[in-house]
Amino acid sequence: MQKDPANRTLIILMGVPYPPRRNGFTLRYFPLLQHLSKSTAIDFAIISPPGATLDDLPLAELGGKREQFRLLIESSTPASIFERALAQLSRTLPIGTPHHFHRHGTRTIYRQIEALLREGYETVVWAGETHWLYACLPLFEKLHLIIDAIDSTTLLCSRLPRYQGLWGRLRLARVRRWETSMLSRAKTALFISPADRDAVRPYLESVELAVSPNGVFSDDYTRRAVEEASPSIGFLGNMGYAPNVAAVRRLYEIYRRARKSVPDLKLYLIGRNPAPAILEYARDDGVVITGTVDSIWEYINAVDVFVLPIHSGSGQQNKLLEILYAGRATISTSIANAGVGAQDGESVVIADDDDSTLRQILALLADPERCQRLGNAGARFVRSRFVWDSIAAQYLELIGATRPDEDPGATAEARGYGPDA
C-alpha cells in the first residue's frame, strides 16, 4: 500500500460528526477525526446543509486547523418533476441506484467535488453513506480512492423483512450489484466488522478489503449510577431505529415471561427518540423509558443485566461496546455480537432465540457473582481491543497517511494491521 508522507489526502464526510452521540456516524467520526486532523497532510470536506459556513463547524472540538476543512453544500433547490419521475422509473430498472438510495442534488455535490479536486489531492477517502458516491465515481478514476463503507449495505438489507421472498431477493440482488459496482472502483474498501467485509468479499476479488472497527467513546464516562430498582434488565440504543424497535418488542415479551418467576423485575429502555410503539410500554409499571438523558453511563451502571435480542442490522453495535466497557453482564444474539467478537460464556452470553434468552436472564439474575465475573471480563475485553488511539493509528495506515511523529516507512502489516485484521 502506498506510504507517501507527501501524499495529500482528502476525506469526504457525509455530514458534521458532532455532537458525538447524535448517531452511529458521529460516534465513529468524531473521535476518529480528532485523531486524523493532527496529520497536516489530510484535509476534510464535509457535506453540509444550505447556508452553512466554516464558522458553523465546532472546530475547537473537532481539532485540526481551519484551513484543513472545506464545506460541500447540499442543493437548496427542490427536486424537479423530471427528477422525481426518473427516481420512480428507477424502481423498474435492474441496474443503477435502487430507489431507496436515491439522493437529490447529486450534480450539485459532483460539481463542488470536481472543483475541490483541482487542489491536487492524490488520495480520496469517501467516509460514510455511499448514496452520493455512485454519481461522483467518474471524478476519482485517476485517484487513489478508498471507500470507508462502514457497513455492508447488502448485509444490512438481507436481514430486513422487505428483502425476503422472491421479490425481495430480486431487490436484494440489485442492491448487491449497486454496492459492488461502487466498491469495485476503489483501491481499498474499509468495513467496521469482519462480517460486513465477508458479505462482499466473494464479489470483489480485485479490491483490497480491510476491517477498521469503532472504539468506545468514553470521554464522558462516569462510574456514577442513578438509583434504580433491582432486579432489572435493560436495553440501550436509539429507540427510533427500526432494528432496535423490533428488538425491544421481542425483549418486552421475554420480560413479561420473566416476571412470572421474578415478579418485581424492572425493564429499563435507555435511549433517545423512542418510537410510538416503544412509548406504549410506559403503561406497564415495570417499564422505565428514559428518552434522551444527560449521561447514558449513569443508567447503564444501574442495570443488572443487559439484553440485546437483535436479529437485524449490520456493522458493529456501539451499544454492546459501551455496555461491556461499563462492566455490565450482557446477553446478546450472534448477530449483535458479530461486529464485536466477544467470547460466548466468557465476556458475553449468546442467546439466539427467546426461550434461551429467558433462561439466561433468570440464571444471571439468580447468580450475582457470575454477573460480576462476566462484566469484569467484558470490560477487560473491550478496553484491550477497542481503544481509539490504536484504531486511529490503524486507520491512518490503511489510508496511506502517517502522523507527524511516525516513521513514514512503517507499514500497516508491521504494526499488526492489514486487510485480514
Side-chain angles (χ1 to χ4, degrees):
M1 181 177 292
Q2 183 177 357
K3 297 289 183 296
D4 181 359
N7 173 27
R8 294 193 64 200
T9 299
L10 176 68
I11 299 180
I12 301 176
L13 293 154
M14 304 298 106
V16 181
Y18 189 84
R21 290 196 176 279
R22 189 179 72 220
N23 52 40
F25 174 80
T26 60
L27 273 172
R28 176 172 177 80
Y29 284 107
F30 174 73
L32 191 54
L33 193 148
Q34 285 185 314
H35 286 81
L36 299 182
S37 63
K38 297 175 184 177
S39 172
T40 55
I42 298 178
D43 290 340
F44 305 91
I46 299 177
I47 295 182
S48 303
T53 68
L54 279 178
D55 292 332
D56 299 319
L57 293 182
L59 294 178
E61 290 81 3
L62 296 175
K65 300 179 181 179
R66 184 184 178 91
E67 56 265 28
Q68 287 180 272
F69 292 89
R70 315 285 191 273
L71 293 185
L72 302 173
I73 304 300
E74 296 182 57
S75 174
S76 59
T77 305
S80 67
I81 295 176
F82 178 70
E83 288 171 323
R84 290 197 295 269
L86 283 179
Q88 290 297 328
L89 178 62
S90 72
R91 292 178 182 272
T92 65
L93 301 176
I95 60 174
T97 303
H99 181 266
H100 182 68
F101 299 102
H102 266 284
R103 285 295 181 270
H104 168 60
T106 53
R107 292 300 302 173
T108 300
I109 298 297
Y110 182 101
R111 288 192 293 268
Q112 293 176 78
I113 294 177
E114 184 179 33
L116 186 55
L117 293 179
R118 297 191 187 109
E119 295 186 22
Y121 296 103
E122 300 173 38
T123 297
V124 173
V125 181
W126 190 280
E129 286 186 355
T130 53
H131 300 65
W132 276 294
L133 175 59
Y134 190 81
C136 296
L137 282 172
L139 295 171
F140 309 128
E141 286 184 353
K142 297 181 180 180
L143 300 176
H144 187 105
L145 175 63
I146 299 171
I147 301 176
D148 184 1
I150 308 178
D151 305 338
S152 163
T153 305
T154 300
L155 180 61
L156 173 63
C157 290
S158 70
R159 293 170 173 170
L160 296 176
R162 65 175 176 268
Y163 288 94
Q164 307 305 315
L166 177 60
W167 179 241
R169 289 195 294 272
L170 291 173
R171 295 174 65 193
L172 182 63
R174 184 180 180 190
V175 169
R176 180 184 292 113
R177 285 195 296 271
W178 174 71
E179 180 180 35
T180 55
S181 69
M182 288 184 290
L183 297 177
S184 65
R185 305 283 287 276
K187 301 295 184 183
T188 307
L190 308 181
F191 295 92
I192 203 169
S193 78
D196 290 84
R197 175 200 59 195
D198 294 345
V200 300
R201 172 170 273 172
Y203 312 99
L204 294 168
E205 296 181 358
S206 63
V207 179
E208 181 181 11
L209 304 178
V211 174
S212 178
N214 272 5
V216 177
F217 179 73
S218 59
D219 289 3
D220 54 357
Y221 177 71
T222 177
R223 293 183 181 274
R224 294 192 302 270
V226 295
E227 294 184 6
E228 297 292 352
S230 183
S232 62
I233 60 175
F235 185 94
L236 173 71
N238 182 340
M239 295 297 170
Y241 180 51
N244 288 346
V245 174
V248 169
R249 284 175 170 169
R250 184 183 294 268
L251 177 57
Y252 180 71
E253 295 305 318
I254 297 171
Y255 156 76
R256 291 181 62 189
R257 293 171 61 190
R259 287 191 69 177
K260 295 177 182 178
S261 300
V262 187
D264 55 346
L265 182 64
K266 294 287 185 179
L267 171 61
Y268 290 93
L269 305 177
I270 308 165
R272 62 187 178 275
N273 304 328
I278 302 294
L279 293 174
E280 289 292 323
Y281 298 142
R283 298 178 181 179
D284 188 324
D285 292 339
V287 178
V288 177
I289 302 172
T290 70
T292 302
V293 295
D294 292 334
S295 171
I296 63 166
W297 301 110
E298 294 183 26
Y299 282 88
I300 291 174
N301 295 336
V303 173
D304 296 321
V305 177
F306 275 89
V307 187
L308 305 179
I310 297 170
H311 290 267
S312 61
S314 63
Q316 184 185 51
Q317 297 293 330
N318 292 308
K319 61 179 75 66
L320 178 56
L321 285 181
E322 291 172 330
I323 293 166
L324 294 179
Y325 181 88
R328 312 314 295 167
T330 307
I331 301 169
S332 169
T333 59
S334 299
I335 286 178
N337 183 53
V340 174
Q343 185 171 347
D344 181 21
E346 180 176 324
S347 47
V348 71
V349 173
I350 301 299
D352 285 322
D353 62 76
D354 294 357
D355 288 343
S356 59
T357 300
L358 175 61
R359 288 194 298 270
Q360 294 294 348
I361 289 173
L362 296 178
L364 285 172
L365 290 176
D367 192 348
E369 291 186 2
R370 184 186 173 210
C371 284
Q372 188 66 52
R373 291 195 302 271
L374 193 68
N376 291 342
R380 289 193 299 270
F381 169 76
V382 169
R383 296 177 188 217
S384 66
R385 294 186 57 178
F386 297 98
V387 179
W388 271 117
D389 283 346
S390 58
I391 290 173
Q394 173 200 18
Y395 197 95
L396 280 165
E397 294 286 356
L398 290 172
I399 67 174
T402 58
R403 293 183 297 189
D405 59 343
E406 289 182 337
D407 175 11
T411 65
E413 291 74 16
R415 296 171 183 268
Y417 309 130
D420 293 315

